[in-house]
Amino acid sequence: MKAVSIKEGIYWVGGIDWNLRSFHGYSTQRGSTYNAYLIVDEKITLIDTVKGYLADEMISRISSVIDPSSIDYIVSNHVEMDHSGALPKMMEIAKNATIITCASGEKGLRAHYKKDWNFKVVKSGDKLELGKRSLEFLLTPMVHWPDNMVCYMPQEKILFSNDSFGQHLASSERFDDEYPIDIVIEEARKYYANIVLPYGMQVQKELEAAKGLDIGMIATSHGIIWRKHIPEILSLYADWASNRTSKKAVIVYDSMWKSTEAMASRIKSAFEAKGYVIRFLHLEHNHISDVMTEIMDAEYICVGSPTLNNNMLPTVAAFLAYMKGLAPKGRKAIAFGSFGWGGQSIGLVKSELELAGCEVVAEIKQQFVPSTDELDNIEKTVQEII
Ligand code: FEO
């Protein structure tokens, strides 16, 4: 397999997983790539690696340019195994290479791989001379692990941004001016909603630091490389990190005998009457990671479940557990559902919404099948609350 030149002497040498459909619970309907970059200078440098099972693909791309045993430095911007999984194999080949990483990167790599490799620890502001070019490091802790960092090459104006600005998107094209940009942005949005969302404050710090850089290319560790639409993706990240919501309501539910669905439908009508943009998402037909993408700019989250065996439906429980981890801040919420005799699901949904950080503005219960009058009443109640 061949390396792809992205600038003179700099190559994309990553791996493509066309068939990836789940990234620990995040549905990756377009696959993904793990981007590694090779810099051929006086010091031959590899930035990040790939998932373990794609090591041979990466090594064959590197071998199309240089002998992989001649690599001097391997920069590890992030410990997570989608970027470090091929490191053990790479270090067996490039036996004299030094791993450049931050202090928590070294700690994480040692804990993962139990190897006594050569490490050089860097901190924000440190510079690594490669020959004609250099790398400057900026630590970006918790975007989205403690060890995250990015590096900038001033001579070529490239920001090697690791997970930031990435997208799960498998493609033969490498650049944002070669691929339909709407799809790239859609996947970047989904990536932010499902990976980066809890870390808005840290993203804002990263964007502030990036303001001082003259960026001509953002070489991400997933998906497409940005070179044409850099202002757009920086501006979108600033918007997403600001936690701005719009006049939008996401109604997400599951139903046993369509009573909760009938309630969901009337809640939808109430928001429509008030001019809200609606997303109406049945959990049997919508993946929780796609629901999260819709929640990113929603003012209201309405979650419905009937009661099953004193509990909520497992689909709703899975969604709420997932959303609680991603913790969208400052949303208003409505818990609703039908029940036969116990009715515990609605209280459980409410308490999970509260644990996720939502302000629950209504709890709506309905015993058995709602009549037309009862549905009218639900719609009226929700309109009054809005
Ligand atoms: Fe792409 Fe946090 O790993």
Side-chain angles (χ1 to χ4, degrees):
M1 291 194 197
K2 298 285 183 204
V4 179
S5 172
I6 64 165
K7 284 262 179 174
E8 198 182 336
I10 304 176
Y11 302 87
W12 173 88
V13 289
I16 306 175
D17 188 340
W18 295 92
N19 295 320
L20 184 83
R21 289 296 176 270
S22 173
F23 190 87
H24 44 67
Y26 165 167
S27 96
T28 48
Q29 65 269 36
R30 292 188 169 100
S32 195
T33 71
Y34 308 95
N35 299 339
Y37 298 95
L38 180 71
I39 301 160
V40 179
D41 208 317
E42 286 165 35
K43 294 289 186 187
I44 296 178
T45 302
L46 180 66
I47 297 185
D48 289 318
T49 68
V50 294
K51 264 188 178 171
Y53 61 81
L54 293 169
D56 289 343
E57 179 174 337
M58 179 189 74
I59 290 162
S60 95
R61 292 190 199 278
I62 295 171
S63 302
S64 72
V65 182
I66 49 122
D67 175 355
S69 68
S70 64
I71 289 174
D72 298 290
Y73 296 136
I74 301 179
V75 174
S76 174
N77 277 329
H78 183 23
V79 171
E80 194 165 10
M81 285 187 278
D82 50 334
H83 309 295
S84 71
L87 195 54
K89 193 156 191 179
M90 205 54 242
M91 289 302 285
E92 275 173 27
I93 297 169
K95 291 188 187 315
N96 296 318
T98 300
I99 297 172
I100 314 292
T101 188
C102 61
S104 51
E106 178 183 356
K107 189 176 163 199
L109 290 172
R110 285 188 188 277
H112 274 72
Y113 301 111
K114 328 293 182 198
K115 297 282 187 189
D116 198 20
W117 293 321
N118 293 324
F119 286 96
K120 178 180 165 58
V121 168
V122 292
K123 53 188 183 329
S124 282
D126 284 357
K127 199 170 180 180
L128 182 71
E129 296 294 345
L130 308 182
K132 289 199 290 285
R133 311 177 190 90
S134 59
L135 290 172
E136 295 171 5
F137 299 94
L138 171 67
L139 273 57
T140 55
M142 298 318 297
V143 186
H144 64 128
W145 276 27
D147 49 81
N148 281 101
M149 65 179 198
V150 300
C151 47
Y152 177 66
M153 181 180 278
Q155 299 80 5
E156 306 289 353
K157 301 181 182 175
I158 304 176
L159 179 69
F160 295 95
S161 68
N162 196 262
D163 279 341
S164 301
F165 313 114
Q167 333 90 44
H168 282 311
L169 176 54
S171 61
S172 55
E173 301 90 328
R174 299 272 64 86
F175 291 104
D176 61 344
D177 49 16
E178 299 172 335
Y179 197 91
I181 193 62
D182 289 354
I183 295 175
V184 182
I185 288 174
E186 177 187 322
E187 292 296 346
R189 183 188 306 275
K190 181 169 181 178
Y191 191 91
Y192 190 98
N194 286 277
I195 304 275
V196 189
L197 186 64
Y199 309 109
M201 271 173 55
Q202 291 87 343
V203 171
Q204 284 175 337
K205 277 188 201 161
E206 183 179 0
L207 292 171
E208 196 54 40
K211 270 187 191 160
L213 305 175
D214 182 7
I215 300 173
M217 185 181 289
I218 300 177
T220 59
S221 65
H222 294 290
I224 292 287
I225 297 168
W226 302 92
R227 68 178 174 191
K228 182 177 179 191
H229 298 277
I230 290 169
E232 289 98 312
I233 189 63
L234 289 175
S235 156
L236 284 167
Y237 256 60
D239 184 38
W240 299 334
S242 76
N243 197 34
R244 180 188 59 79
T245 58
S246 59
K247 198 171 175 183
K248 175 178 178 183
V250 175
I251 297 146
V252 49
Y253 68 97
D254 200 347
S255 199
M256 285 167 68
W257 297 107
K258 296 194 180 292
S259 292
T260 299
E261 185 163 67
M263 297 170 76
S265 182
R266 286 305 194 94
I267 291 169
K268 171 167 73 71
S269 301
F271 278 100
E272 279 170 345
K274 293 284 183 180
Y276 275 72
V277 167
I278 307 294
R279 295 291 181 269
F280 193 63
L281 305 172
H282 191 310
L283 281 168
E284 262 185 30
H285 311 298
N286 292 279
H287 195 274
I288 53 177
S289 55
D290 292 316
V291 176
M292 278 315 302
T293 312
E294 293 296 350
I295 281 174
M296 203 156 73
D297 60 348
E299 182 186 340
Y300 277 91
I301 308 168
C302 309
V303 180
S305 173
T307 299
L308 172 71
N309 298 329
N310 304 330
N311 214 317
M312 63 183 103
L313 286 181
T315 45
V316 180
F319 162 67
L320 287 168
Y322 189 70
M323 185 177 77
K324 198 163 59 176
L326 292 163
K329 292 178 184 62
R331 268 61 173 180
K332 286 176 269 189
I334 294 176
F336 66 96
S338 70
F339 66 100
W341 50 97
Q344 295 92 336
S345 61
I346 300 94
L348 290 167
V349 167
K350 177 179 183 250
S351 87
E352 289 296 288
L353 284 165
E354 284 171 345
L355 287 169
C358 298
E359 178 200 351
V360 179
V361 295
E363 191 181 346
I364 304 170
K365 285 183 163 192
Q366 170 63 50
Q367 188 163 25
F368 288 120
V369 179
S371 66
T372 303
D373 283 352
E374 285 166 332
L375 289 172
D376 287 346
N377 202 33
I378 288 169
E379 189 172 331
K380 185 166 165 276
T381 304
V382 173
Q383 276 206 40
E384 282 167 7
I385 289 162
I386 302 165

